[in-house]
Amino acid sequence: MSKFRETAALFLGAIPVFLGYETLKGDEKFYSNILMPVVHSCFSPETAHNLAIKLLSLGLVPKGKTQQFDKLSCKVFGQTFPNPLGIAAGFDKHAEAIDGLNKLGFGFVEVGSITPLPQAGNAKPRVFRLPEDKVVINRYGFNSCGHDVAAARLDKHMKGRIVLGINLGKNKESFDFTKDYTDGVTKLGKYADYIVINVSSPNTPGLRSLQGRQKLQDLCTNVVAVKEGLPNKPSILVKIAPDLTEDDKQDIAHALLQSKVDGLIVSNTTVARPSTLVNSHKSERGGLSGKPLCEVSTKLVADMYKLTDGKLPIIGVGGVWDGKDAYDKIKAGASLVQIYTSLIYEGPPLVGKIKRELNQLLEKDGFINVAEAVGADHK
Ligand SMILES: Cc1cc2nc3c(=O)[nH]c(=O)nc-3n(C[C@H](O)[C@H](O)[C@H](O)COP(=O)(O)O)c2cc1C
């Protein structure tokens, strides 16, 4: 991208910062109906993503609705969250924008996936927007700065300001996948409140096979043993795919309980292509995220909650667009919720909107705190 276009884009993105979007009447609609479509028509998905990271890393962030909701404050994995809404992995892949994301009003941030060695990922273009379908398809293939660069960056980040998750991936060419993950815990664990073993991205050949019963149990047992040696003992979570058979789900639940991990993330992107898709990019290879994933991932949250007897906290992610989607995942068994694709289409005001709506729904159903609603569908 030319220097001129980059400067123009930074200026465009910074407009709401200077105006302060709380002063813009109907800011949520302004972003979803005007600003985001303009940005999307000017920039490819990957360029827009890089610009967003740049703005956030420079602190050029529209001041989020700062309203705190007592009902939304919760304790999970021994950590206190001001609210249960986090940014999912894949947005801040290289741990560059943690403070900016904190300012947007998220209750926690997950960075990554980070691989041991730096790698470029797949050839471009590798991200596609399907706006009519409220979908994104990506095949980034773990483009990563690698452990060392991430560690240097995280070293400068003041720990303790926001709950931080670090999502680990494996290198494409690696043969010792266990070492890829255990090295990640050794090198990056001290910066993390929780670590994610990502065995569910569809764009790294063979990765999803690590979800098999014995492989997963062995991998997790090794990772848990390494984390026990760290002074801060971050929680260990496993992120799973939505494309699983009933047997797969039972195997995963067994492996997670046996290996004593602390929780799971449900779910990554899907390789399925719903018949409802209309956009011409619908047949692009890669993982699909967004609206059509919402029901599928909520159902999987419910299944995994039941299969693990509610013993493992779950982060629910997939197609969350509003407070009701988040609430549905919580009632299905999620203790925390993440978003990614909806943020691409709706922009930063979505964070405040989801929190406000979730608070209203909890109020309406008489819950004093969000923690009481976790798994309510099963009671
Ligand atoms: C462009 C893009 C890149 C992603 N990269 C990663 C990644 O590196 N690691 C990971 O665990 N998940 C990754 N994800 C998956 C998201 O974290 C999330 O699980 C999924 O998109 C479903 O949530 P959503 O429908 O709210 O986007 C990525 C998603 C998108 C859209």
Side-chain angles (χ1 to χ4, degrees), residues 7 12-13 41 61 84 87 90 95-96 126 133 135 139 164 194 212 216 226 232 258 287 300 315 334 338:
T7 312
L12 182 70
S41 66
V61 177
I87 178 76
E96 296 166 288
R126 50 193 180 176
D133 305 303
V135 155
R139 50 169 181 268
L164 181 68
Y194 72 86
L216 188 61
V226 175
N232 62 323
Q258 289 298 312
L300 185 54
I315 301 183
Q338 291 174 322

Side-chain angles (χ1 to χ4, degrees), residues 60-124:
L60 290 171
V61 177
K63 191 169 169 298
K65 297 234 189 265
T66 45
Q67 197 175 356
Q68 298 286 341
F69 300 99
D70 290 347
K71 268 189 202 318
L72 298 189
S73 157
C74 50
K75 206 165 181 180
V76 189
F77 317 119
Q79 302 289 336
T80 303
F81 296 72
N83 68 74
L85 185 65
I87 178 76
F91 183 77
D92 188 7
K93 277 181 183 279
H94 318 301
E96 296 166 288
I98 299 167
D99 292 336
L101 289 162
N102 186 9
K103 271 201 208 168
L104 286 189
F106 282 109
F108 63 109
V109 170
E110 185 174 315
V111 299
S113 297
I114 304 172
T115 57
L117 298 173
Q119 63 176 32
N122 291 324
K124 296 177 189 172

Side-chain angles (χ1 to χ4, degrees), residues 88-90 93 113 138 140 167 198 239 267-268 289-290 317-319 340-341:
K93 277 181 183 279
S113 297
N138 92 84
Y140 267 112
N167 181 309
N198 177 11
K239 185 165 178 177
S267 70
N268 216 310
S289 57
V317 52
Y340 186 165
T341 303

Side-chain angles (χ1 to χ4, degrees), residues 20 22 36 67 96 101 123 136 203 237 305 317 343 359 369:
E22 290 189 53
M36 301 315 283
Q67 197 175 356
E96 296 166 288
L101 289 162
V136 164
N203 302 311
L237 278 63
Y305 184 85
V317 52
L343 189 69
N359 187 61
N369 183 272

Side-chain angles (χ1 to χ4, degrees), residues 21-33 65 349:
Y21 71 51
E22 290 189 53
T23 63
L24 291 167
K25 190 102 181 103
D27 56 354
E28 289 158 10
K29 287 205 165 63
F30 169 73
Y31 269 81
S32 63
N33 296 341
K65 297 234 189 265

